[in-house]
Amino acid sequence: MADERDAAGEKGKDSRVFSYLKRRKTREGVPTPHLMEELSAPKVDVPVWSRSLAPFGFTLIMIALGVACILLGGAPAGVMFMAIGVVPVALVCALTLRAIPAVLGPHRDAGQEELGPYLGAGGDERVRQMSPGLVGEERDVMEWNRAEEADRTWRWLRESGVAPERVETTSDDGARLAGHVIAAHPGSARWVVFAHGFAENWRAGLTYARRLSEAGCNLLLVDMRAHGESGGDWVGAGWLDRRDLVAWSRWVVGRAGADARVALMGVSMGAASALQALGEPDLPEQVRACVADSAYTDFWNAAVNVVATGMLGTPPMPAHPIIDLARLFFRMRRGGYDLALARPVDAVAGAGLPVLLVHASDDRICPAHMGEQLAAAAPEGSGLVSFPSAGHCCAVFADPGRYWDHVLAYLGTRL
């Protein structure tokens, strides 16, 4: 009997290894359970500049070996060594240089659907993309709630009589920033500044606009830098955007007056930007709350996860040396910066106010452990609300009642 259990255990182990290496999928293209578990396991990758130089060191060593072989009379072997040293590194460098402007360059045409990427016509596909681990009833619930909110938001926008008003401000570095105001409560001092995620625009905030407006808040839905109508040569990743949100907060105070009570709210990269803004010493004192939905602890580890797993639709690739080279090349670009500087987990520790963190347990882009790390670093009184059966930025569809109970209760105590 024991031998049978041992044999079954060995068979299970072999099956586990095989399915991982082959990336075997279950129905609907969902990774096998053990692979999902491994993707969610806490992993911390520390950026080291020397890793970005390692490919060039490898190239120099192979060229030196090739030259030595040629000098010793082994020309064919020498050429082979030099080719092995030059060709792969050159291809990786070319791939990385091509990817930088495509990923970190401007996304001006992102999210053109009138109700945004989640409530618009492509919303169901978006939810599926962000929640690859969910099938059957779990996904049906999210799609139903998404469709219902889309209908209610559409009718609310038509019946409220308040058209989004385009506004502008300027960031510290001179970048012109655009946003849209929905001021359904002109006499209210309560404002929410909403920051969208990567490759989206201000319309992503419409997913949350109806509920926030009905709670008595005026809304400023911003285009993040290098997105939509906002200026900027490069995506901010939360690092550059932290200063933009300080500028937007000042703009709200200038419009609403010194008695304004402001909350920063964001999803994904916008959530990370809001958390980083809290660490800025000149953030207006009128900012009294922050709701961060699906934030990452640091951009570096989020990028490593996305590249390695291909969770945003790209084929899975080795994160190293691709991310390391991207960090080096991007830092050398005009207007570029060190991607490792975007660390909300450090900024939130210095926040002068408690924050509300929202995170989905099945988030494969910013895994659940990132929410837990942010909560551990956040000031006393902060909270983390976890949502099972939801993917990245999809907690609001998995359980809208619970989501808004927490968000509105928090805002009610802070604004």
Side-chain angles (χ1 to χ4, degrees):
M1 196 72 177
D3 292 340
E4 291 178 2
R5 286 197 298 267
D6 292 342
E10 287 299 316
K11 182 178 179 181
K13 181 178 179 181
D14 292 342
S15 175
R16 175 187 174 104
V17 172
F18 176 79
S19 72
Y20 177 76
L21 293 176
K22 295 298 183 180
R23 293 293 194 273
R24 181 163 54 85
K25 307 288 184 178
T26 59
R27 64 193 180 104
E28 302 288 339
V30 180
T32 50
H34 70 264
L35 179 55
M36 297 293 275
E37 180 181 345
E38 188 157 333
L39 293 177
S40 300
K43 304 181 187 70
V44 178
D45 188 283
V46 179
V48 180
W49 280 114
S50 59
R51 270 196 315 219
S52 63
L53 301 175
F56 304 109
F58 169 77
T59 297
L60 291 175
I61 291 173
M62 297 304 288
I63 289 176
L65 287 174
V67 170
C69 287
I70 292 174
L71 292 177
L72 293 174
V79 172
M80 181 186 69
F81 275 120
M82 287 191 284
I84 292 174
V86 172
V87 174
V89 173
L91 290 174
V92 172
C93 288
L95 173 66
T96 305
L97 286 169
R98 183 177 179 180
I100 287 175
V103 176
L104 296 173
H107 294 266
R108 305 293 183 204
D109 57 349
Q112 294 303 307
E113 293 198 45
E114 187 172 358
L115 290 182
Y118 291 95
L119 299 186
D124 281 341
E125 180 59 34
R126 181 76 165 190
V127 168
R128 292 175 195 140
Q129 179 188 21
M130 294 297 181
S131 306
L134 303 182
V135 295
E137 184 178 350
E138 293 175 330
R139 195 173 72 184
D140 291 343
V141 167
M142 285 201 300
E143 292 179 357
W144 174 270
N145 290 332
R146 185 212 69 81
E148 186 175 38
E149 184 58 37
D151 180 64
R152 290 182 176 181
T153 299
W154 176 265
R155 287 189 282 112
W156 167 71
L157 286 171
R158 292 296 176 270
E159 295 168 3
S160 67
V162 180
E165 171 195 355
R166 187 184 183 281
V167 296
E168 286 190 358
T169 192
T170 304
S171 194
D172 295 348
D173 61 357
R176 295 294 296 171
L177 306 174
H180 286 75
V181 165
I182 302 178
H185 309 280
S188 175
R190 306 176 77 209
W191 281 76
V192 174
V193 178
F194 183 89
H196 61 75
F198 174 76
E200 297 174 350
N201 68 7
W202 69 273
R203 296 182 187 277
L206 293 175
T207 299
Y208 311 84
R210 180 183 68 86
R211 295 271 199 165
L212 292 170
S213 179
E214 290 178 349
C217 297
N218 293 308
L219 309 173
L220 170 59
L221 313 179
V222 306
D223 277 335
M224 303 287 277
R225 74 163 49 215
H227 289 77
E229 297 181 67
S230 284
D233 296 326
W234 301 107
V235 170
W239 176 247
L240 301 182
D241 313 281
R242 79 196 196 285
R243 298 303 307 166
D244 299 343
L245 290 181
V246 170
W248 278 121
S249 299
R250 290 174 181 162
W251 183 92
V252 170
V253 173
R255 172 158 172 163
D259 294 332
R261 301 188 298 276
V262 183
L264 302 180
M265 182 174 180
V267 294
S268 193
M269 187 179 74
S273 303
L275 293 175
Q276 292 208 132
L278 296 183
E280 296 301 289
D282 58 342
L283 184 71
E285 63 181 9
Q286 288 83 358
V287 176
R288 301 184 178 186
C290 178
V291 179
D293 184 336
S294 305
Y296 44 76
T297 51
D298 62 304
F299 182 75
W300 178 265
N301 274 279
V304 167
N305 176 62
V306 167
V307 171
T309 62
M311 291 308 299
L312 288 182
T314 57
M317 295 181 289
H320 304 293
I322 293 175
I323 296 294
D324 305 291
L325 290 171
R327 181 190 182 196
L328 176 64
F329 294 153
F330 186 58
R331 184 67 185 87
M332 296 168 63
R333 290 286 186 104
R334 182 179 179 181
Y337 55 92
D338 183 359
L339 295 173
L341 291 174
R343 289 185 54 82
V345 69
D346 293 339
V348 74
L353 53 88
V355 303
L356 177 64
L357 300 161
V358 177
H359 221 96
S361 301
D362 292 307
D363 193 329
R364 303 302 174 213
I365 295 174
C366 298
H369 67 80
M370 289 191 168
E372 296 167 0
Q373 292 171 31
L374 288 168
E380 185 178 354
S382 299
L384 169 64
V385 187
S386 297
F387 285 82
S389 303
H392 189 62
C393 301
C394 291
V396 69
F397 302 125
D399 191 344
R402 181 167 172 257
Y403 184 97
W404 287 110
D405 282 348
H406 282 281
V407 170
L408 296 181
Y410 167 75
L411 293 178
T413 62
R414 300 297 307 173
L415 296 186

